[in-house]
Amino acid sequence: MINAIETALGWSGAEELGKGFARGGLDDPALLSRLLTPNRLLDIAMRRSLNRPQFRCFQKGVEVHPAVYYTDSVSPRGQSIPVVNMRSLGNLLGEGATLILDQANVFDPTMEVACRALQWWSHERVQVNAYLTTNDAAGFPLHWDDHDVVIVQLADEKEWEVRGASRKVPMYRDSDPNTIPSDEIIWSGVMRTGDVMHIPRGHWHQATRTGSGSGKSLHVTFGITKRTGASWLAWLADWSREHEIFRHDLDRWHVPDSAALTEAATALLGARSPADYLAAYEQEVTLPRHVPFLDILGPLDAVVCTTHFPPRIRESGETVDVLASGKRLTLAAKALPALRLLLSGRPVVLEQAAAVVGAEVVEVADILVKEELCAVLTPELSSGYTGLVTNAGS
């Protein structure tokens, strides 16, 4: 998937993120239906208890009140769970509406796998939102995002307008509200099935099917939030608490020792560089959710690494260290081939892997699953990799 997106956008790697607007097309049409389809999106809405703002509906550019398309499912014991009223939702879609599901990667294994692949590629956190628009419905009005986005048009078409930024690299928390759109139109046109577009942070944009008549559009937006200088300074502020001078009150009634504070702050800046922060950021991210392994449910026969970012493997003579998600595991050096395979990010069938790297892969896999760096490859999770990522060691 990553190679397909890079090729479509004419990129040579993740370093192109945020540098400029880019647009292209995917060569593999089968990839689109593997990512998401309109019916799969509606199935997610039907089978889960979703709440605003995670699931929203818009008509004529205005959000529809949830009471219009939500209802309560009441159990025989009177327990109430809010669910989407699919009949009401169907009526809205028939009239023309836009449905938005934020963080589709939480609910769909294919979206989860796609986001994880983009995270390993970009070394930044990624979430994906899905947008289904029917008939003449409009989407959001002209707006900008505080993160870079990669948009994939999965089905049919939608008209877009992309403008330049009116403030350089604006932020969610900023000193300027940045409410006046740029007049510079970078691109306007129709995104059709298979088209891919990258919109850098701060670029104004809008999408609509107004005037398009009967039809639909489904696209997903991968939001990629990169670290900034402000992120680094916030991280340093946390480290400052290690030093007594920063824990003292700032005295309002006496002249504070500004020179001492400045000297200590300067030393802190020099001791922990932006590169140190970026490395620590990957290590400090907590472990993701996954199905726990219980031997009472069956043997461990296939696994996959599910850390948010690629684990780091360090060789040290007779031992090898694995660093990921705040953990450090030390294993014998002979485990290195198994570790490289198991931590590749691709599904690993242990019986096949044993023929490639040796029988110890089973023991190493058991350790990694218990430490939650790898997860059991359930049929549901495996389905997310099918057609996107090949198995390792097969």
Side-chain angles (χ1 to χ4, degrees):
M1 187 193 78
I2 300 299
N3 290 339
I5 290 176
E6 284 186 337
T7 300
L9 297 176
W11 288 356
S12 57
E15 64 271 15
E16 302 293 337
L17 269 172
K19 287 188 176 179
F21 174 80
R23 195 174 71 88
L26 293 173
D27 294 330
D28 182 7
L31 179 60
L32 305 174
S33 59
R34 278 295 301 115
L35 287 172
L36 190 66
T37 64
N39 280 330
R40 217 164 85 218
L41 176 60
L42 293 175
D43 191 77
I44 290 171
M46 180 186 70
R47 297 183 185 281
R48 290 163 175 80
S49 177
L50 303 173
N51 289 291
R52 185 189 179 281
Q54 193 150 43
F55 187 76
R56 292 166 290 164
C57 180
F58 286 76
Q59 276 191 323
K60 299 178 181 179
V62 178
E63 185 173 359
V64 179
H65 195 282
V68 174
Y69 58 98
Y70 269 90
T71 188
D72 287 333
S73 175
V74 182
S75 75
R77 296 189 177 184
Q79 297 168 319
S80 180
I81 299 175
V83 294
V84 174
N85 184 320
M86 299 307 291
R87 184 175 295 107
S88 299
L89 185 64
N91 291 336
L92 290 171
L93 291 172
E95 296 167 1
T98 292
L99 302 185
I100 303 171
L101 175 62
D102 286 355
Q103 286 190 293
N105 46 294
V106 173
F107 306 105
D108 182 82
T110 305
M111 292 286 93
E112 175 194 336
V113 170
C115 282
R116 185 179 300 121
L118 285 166
Q119 286 181 170
W120 280 40
W121 170 73
S122 67
H123 293 263
E124 302 288 357
R125 289 299 297 269
V126 179
Q127 80 166 49
V128 61
N129 300 341
Y131 300 80
L132 174 63
T133 301
T134 57
N135 299 327
D136 271 342
F140 285 141
L142 198 61
H143 67 285
W144 59 272
D145 293 319
D146 64 345
H147 50 269
D148 301 320
V149 297
V150 173
I151 298 158
V152 183
Q153 185 72 26
L154 298 179
D156 295 86
E157 60 185 42
K158 200 169 192 180
E159 187 173 352
W160 284 77
E161 179 181 279
V162 182
R163 302 189 184 191
S166 48
R167 170 175 170 78
K168 289 185 176 180
V169 290
M171 304 179 70
Y172 174 71
R173 290 182 58 200
D174 207 336
S175 59
D176 187 318
N178 190 36
T179 55
I180 301 175
S182 168
D183 293 327
E184 176 196 10
I185 296 179
I186 294 177
W187 179 78
S188 64
V190 176
M191 288 279 285
R192 296 183 173 85
T193 304
D195 286 348
V196 182
M197 179 165 57
H198 168 248
I199 302 178
R201 166 164 55 119
H203 281 50
W204 293 81
H205 55 278
Q206 61 182 345
T208 184
R209 277 192 53 84
T210 301
S212 297
S214 177
K216 66 182 183 300
S217 165
L218 174 65
H219 76 267
V220 288
T221 296
F222 294 96
I224 306 173
T225 305
K226 299 176 73 174
R227 304 303 94 196
T228 67
S231 306
W232 170 55
L233 290 176
W235 180 70
L236 287 175
D238 289 336
W239 277 106
S240 71
R241 294 171 176 82
E242 285 193 338
H243 305 278
E244 179 185 337
I245 189 171
F246 293 113
R247 299 198 304 270
H248 280 286
D249 300 337
L250 291 177
D251 197 334
R252 294 177 179 275
W253 294 273
H254 299 88
V255 178
D257 190 353
S258 298
L261 278 171
T262 301
E263 182 180 353
T266 301
L268 187 61
L269 287 168
R272 303 186 185 277
S273 68
D276 294 331
Y277 164 61
L278 291 175
Y281 169 73
E282 292 190 34
Q283 287 297 306
E284 291 168 358
V285 172
T286 56
L287 290 163
R289 300 162 64 241
H290 60 75
V291 175
F293 171 63
L294 300 171
D295 54 10
I296 57 174
L297 301 181
L300 184 64
D301 52 14
V303 302
V304 65
C305 181
T306 54
T307 56
H308 288 299
F309 301 112
R312 296 164 63 188
I313 300 175
R314 290 180 177 173
E315 299 178 58
S316 180
E318 296 182 354
T319 61
V320 58
D321 293 331
V322 176
L323 296 91
S325 301
K327 293 194 173 189
R328 178 174 183 157
L329 309 180
T330 300
L331 292 86
K334 67 178 182 179
L336 185 58
L339 285 171
R340 285 177 172 159
L341 190 67
L342 294 167
L343 300 178
S344 67
R346 296 183 292 162
V348 178
V349 177
L350 297 181
E351 184 177 358
Q352 297 173 355
V356 177
V357 296
E360 63 266 22
V361 70
V362 176
E363 181 181 355
V364 176
D366 183 66
I367 293 171
L368 296 178
V369 168
K370 287 178 179 176
E371 294 295 337
E372 300 182 4
L373 302 188
C374 287
V376 182
L377 190 67
T378 63
E380 292 75 18
L381 181 55
S382 179
S383 71
Y385 287 90
T386 304
L388 295 184
V389 179
T390 57
N391 288 357
S394 60

